[in-house]
Structure formats: C-alpha cells, structure tokens
Amino acid sequence: MFTKDRKYRSYDVVVGMDRGGQRAHLKNLGLLTEDMKKPFIGIVNTYNEMHPGHFHLNEIVKHVRDGVWAAGGVPFEFGTISICDGFAQANLGMCYALPSREVIADSIEVMTEGHRYDGLVLVGGCDKIVPAFLMAIARLDLPAIVVTGGPMLPGRYKGKDYATYELKEAAGKVQRGIMSEKELEEMEGCLSPTAGSCSMMGTANSMSVVAEALGLTMPGCATAHAVEGIKRRIAKASGYKIVELVNRGFRPSSILTRETFFDAIKVAMAVGGSTNTVLHIPAIAHEVGIKITPEDFERLSSCTPYLVKIKPSGQHTLKDFEDAGGVPAVMRELGDLIDVSRMTVSGLTVGEITAEAKNKNSEVIRTITNAYSNQGSLAVLKGNLASKGAVVKQTAVHPTMLKHRGPARVFNSEDEAVIAISGGKINQGDVIVIRYEGPIGGPGMREMLTATSYLVGMDLANVGLVTDGRFSGATRGPVIGHVSPEAAIGGIIGLVEEGDEILIDIPQRRLELLVSDEELERRQKSWKAEEPKIKKGYLQRYMHWVTSADDGAFLKSE
C-alpha cells in the first residue's frame, strides 16, 4: 500500500484501503503495484476504419504509448467518434458533422473525469475532431498535448498534384462534356493515395495549424504528413512530454489567453485558413471564458499578410508547405505580429521555436515584403442581409468578383440548388441563395461543397452564392457563408425572393439585399418558420441548444 503523497488525480482511484477493488481491476489489466504510483495518461484515439484521415492512427498511438512508458507514465488508450466529412457530403450525414464536435468534446470530458486521468494525449485529425480536442483541453484544463494525424500525400494524376475536392469539380466537367467518365474514374484512383487528412488547406489542416499556433502540439506537428517517420517521432516525443507536463503541474489555461487566440487567428489568416475557423476558434475560446467574435477575425485578418497560398486557393500542396518550413517558418515571417514570449507545451517559447525555424522556400512561404496580399484569407461582411455577419474566403475570390450585383436565385436547401446548377438553370451573374441550412435550420449547418464545386466545374465563375450554411475549406469563389441571423430564426435571408437584387462588396465588407425597409417589413409579417427537418434523436436536441454561427455554434449550457 502507498500513501497519497503526490498530487496525481489518479490517486483518487488507487489510494486508500477502500480502493482495493480498483487496484484489483488494474492488476487484472497487467499493472504492477509500482505502476499505480505513476501518472495515468489518457490517450484519445479516433481511429476509424471508414476514415482516410484516421485509419493509420493505431500505429501513431503505439508511438505515443512508447513515449509515455519511457517517461515513467502509464498509458490508457480510449476511443471516440470521428466523422469523415467527405463521406457526409451531399447527404443527411452532413447534418451530423458539425454537431459531432460537441459529442467528441463531451465524450473526452466524460472519460477523463470518470477515470481520473492525470494528463491527455489526443491523437486525431480532420475537420471537427481537432476543434473538439481543443475544446476538451480548454474545458478540462489538464496537462494535454495534441498529435494531429497529418495530411495525406498529394494525389498525382497525369503528372500534376491534385486534392480530393477537385473530383467534385471534375464531375461538373463531365456534365459539360469536356471530361469523360473514364477519366473521372481514373482520377478517383489517384487522388486519395495515403492515409491522412485531405491534402489541401481545408478545415482539417487549418485547425491543425491553429492547434500548433496555440502552442498545444510539438513544433512541426501540423504539417508532418501521416505516412512520414517524423510523425511517429513527434508522437513518441508527445508521449514523453506529457509526463513532464503532469509532473510540472502545467495547465492549458496558462497559455490559452486572448492574445494567444489572436495569434492563432493571425497564423490561420496568413496561410489561407478555412472559413470554419470562425466557428471553431470562438467555440474553443468559450471553454476558457473568452469571447472571440467575427469582428475580431475581420480586424486581425485585415492587418495580417497572406503568405501561403495552398490548394484550393493556390497550386502549392501541404507537402510543399511542410518542406518550406511549416508553421514555425510562417510564425517567424510574421515577426512582430506574433507574441514570441508565449510558452508552448514543448517547453519552448514561440520565440525559441521560431529562432530555429528556417524558410526553405520563399515562394511557398512568402515574406511580408512579398506577401500575396496585405490582408489575410477571411473577410467578414455585414449589411441588412447579415446584420451579425457573414464570412468569405476573400483570397479564393477572383478579383473581378470581389464586387458583384445580381438577381437572387432562391433555394431552401443545398439539394435544390445542386439540381438547378447541374441542370443548367443557373446563369452567369446570378446570386444563389441557399437558406435553412444554418445550425438550427439545417440542422447542423451543412457544408455547401457540392454546390460550390459544381459552380466551378460548370464554369459558372461569375455566379455568387450566399448561405446561412457553411463551406468546406476546399471551397473557392465568390461564396459567402455563416449568414447570421439564419433563416430559421427569422433572419433576413429567409425573406429573399426570386429575382431580388443582392449586392456583394467584399472590399467594403458589405452584403445587402437591395429591397426597401418597407417591403422587408411587409414580408416579415407574413413569414412563417419552416417545419423542422429533424424531429427526433440528437439533432432534435441539438437544434434547441445550439447558438448562432456568429457565436461559434456551440451548445448553450442553460
């Protein structure tokens, strides 16, 4: 027997005459009495057989476990869910994608508190999983390190690099008759070549960048590819480091300050980060009592240079980005825009990390003096159509479409819009409006990737799109999402009628429905909410508790 002479939470389980049953269970699992004096480390493994970003994670976790044992801790692996947004696209599954973020965060909290782990290593990747990890870390405020699963290698087809989102654009080309179905099938066999998150600056890799910028991963983790040896070494180092963090009494709240979140936003804007960062970063900050608003994104993006242009915004790949120096090199280039005194889980300050970083390719990671733009990737638009804001990836919009005025083509779901686009019923100059796809109306705020990809594939470059839904990080073009308030709660987007003129003015940050106030008032009086699309299960509960997109679409606590 041993006494509770050290401050490990896990001693709640193993110390005391009345804990004999717990110790018996642990001995049954193979632990020695001496092991029970060591810190217990929970390892979150989001391995999933139907997920290219996660089916390699058992191997990654093995290296984490090795690191924990080597450092004098005891690893305990447990799993949680991980939806692949790729499979959820264009079907009911996408309604569950964003809501899965809350389930993942909650499940980690439940296991960690129930088993009294002393620290966590969270292993996973992709769109909602990394944000959920960060929410759980912020909420629990226990020693924790994230090991992101890493991007897949880029797909190669006919000698060029591609990412999976380009298959949807290719489908539009087949519709137009400029690509054959056989070529499309050949392309399918090439564009998802290895394990890992999709090889583009979509939400998955944007949030991996954010995790590293927040200081919650080991340096270089975000861009270390899934199949590379460096990912295994980072995994083992993370397992080793977490035991040190537990023994030091590290708390994530010590580094997750408002300024840290601001720095992470700047890094995301510098690399062309996804519009979904505007949902996820506020939700993470909320867990530590910090409010991050769309206005913060607008302010920070407007003063952050755009340095890295990766697919879908440019032609460089995540592998190019890694080879050029990754996140540390970007933070070095940002210089005084980043607080270099901040500490990270690695035990190094940001300044110590960036001092060792090198920009190995100044065309992939540009300098501030040679930036693609003096503004970052995102812009927040406001106007009568979005009084609480809407978001656009301005760096992925052709200059000729930064300002556009056109007639509204109104659809109450993405499915209706896709039928119209693929059926040739949308004209150049139109502004597609897709509504009742917000957090409540969706429910679950589906991605509109199928619609936006068809616009590209059908060569409808002069068509705008406005929605209270959201977009994949793979989206490009004059497409505006997160319109708030959403249609389901009486937002003006629910009052738009076919043929109404809509003004999109990205430089002036305006999104206007060009209809008189008197006419809008008349329409408001006759407006009725749509019947809920889902009337049972998790989504029925979710729609009653979820906050607006401009808040981060997290679940209210009361």
Side-chain angles (χ1 to χ4, degrees), residues 38-331:
K38 301 173 183 178
F40 287 6
I41 306 300
I43 302 177
V44 182
N45 181 3
T46 55
Y47 166 79
N48 184 323
E49 283 190 340
M50 192 177 171
H51 200 318
H54 292 242
F55 77 88
H56 65 303
L57 295 184
N58 285 343
E59 181 191 3
I60 302 298
V61 165
K62 174 186 177 296
H63 295 284
V64 174
R65 295 172 65 90
D66 289 346
V68 171
W69 279 118
V74 182
F76 292 95
E77 178 185 341
F78 66 92
T80 188
I81 63 171
S82 55
I83 288 178
C84 174
D85 284 29
F87 292 119
Q89 290 288 348
N91 62 67
L92 179 64
M94 184 50 74
C95 291
Y96 288 87
L98 180 59
S100 75
R101 184 187 71 182
E102 319 308 309
V103 175
I104 297 165
D106 288 352
S107 69
I108 294 168
E109 175 194 355
V110 167
M111 279 295 295
T112 302
E113 295 291 26
H115 283 186
R116 312 307 291 160
Y117 299 120
D118 299 300
L120 294 172
V121 180
L122 304 97
V123 185
C126 296
D127 295 39
K128 311 307 171 299
I129 294 87
V130 174
F133 283 179
L134 299 174
M135 290 171 67
I137 289 171
R139 182 186 306 171
L140 291 163
D141 201 25
L142 292 173
I145 298 180
V146 175
V147 179
T148 52
M152 67 172 62
L153 293 176
R156 295 284 290 176
Y157 178 65
K158 293 187 176 180
K160 294 183 179 180
D161 290 330
Y162 287 90
T164 49
Y165 74 90
E166 290 171 286
L167 283 165
K168 287 187 177 292
E169 296 178 0
K173 294 178 181 179
V174 172
Q175 291 275 110
R176 291 164 55 203
I178 62 174
M179 185 176 187
S180 70
E181 290 188 33
K182 186 175 186 301
E183 287 176 306
L184 178 61
E185 185 176 359
E186 290 174 355
M187 204 174 180
E188 289 172 7
C190 301
L191 266 58
S192 185
T194 71
S197 52
C198 295
S199 56
M200 59 189 178
M201 192 53 77
T203 306
N205 292 310
S206 296
M207 290 309 300
S208 293
V209 167
V210 166
E212 184 169 340
L214 287 172
L216 291 172
T217 75
M218 299 297 281
C221 185
T223 55
H225 279 52
V227 296
E228 293 181 310
I230 188 174
K231 181 61 74 178
R232 300 177 184 88
R233 296 193 297 277
I234 287 172
K236 187 170 185 178
S238 298
Y240 201 94
K241 181 62 67 172
I242 190 62
V243 177
E244 178 188 321
L245 293 179
V246 169
N247 287 328
R248 274 204 289 121
F250 168 80
R251 291 290 182 268
S253 58
S254 67
I255 64 174
L256 291 179
T257 65
R258 181 178 298 278
E259 290 67 31
T260 301
F261 285 108
F262 286 172
D263 279 356
I265 291 171
K266 291 174 189 176
V267 174
M269 298 305 97
V271 302
S274 165
T275 53
N276 285 312
T277 59
V278 184
L279 287 173
H280 297 317
I281 292 177
I284 299 159
H286 171 73
E287 298 289 350
V288 287
I290 296 171
K291 186 172 180 61
I292 301 291
T293 67
E295 289 76 16
D296 290 323
F297 277 84
E298 169 58 33
R299 176 176 56 81
L300 295 166
S301 184
S302 67
C303 66
T304 302
Y306 180 34
L307 305 181
V308 183
K309 201 170 187 176
I310 295 172
K311 286 176 174 286
S313 299
Q315 291 306 307
H316 294 136
T317 65
L318 264 296
K319 191 68 179 73
D320 296 329
F321 184 26
E322 180 194 24
D323 291 344
V327 174
V330 170
M331 296 180 81

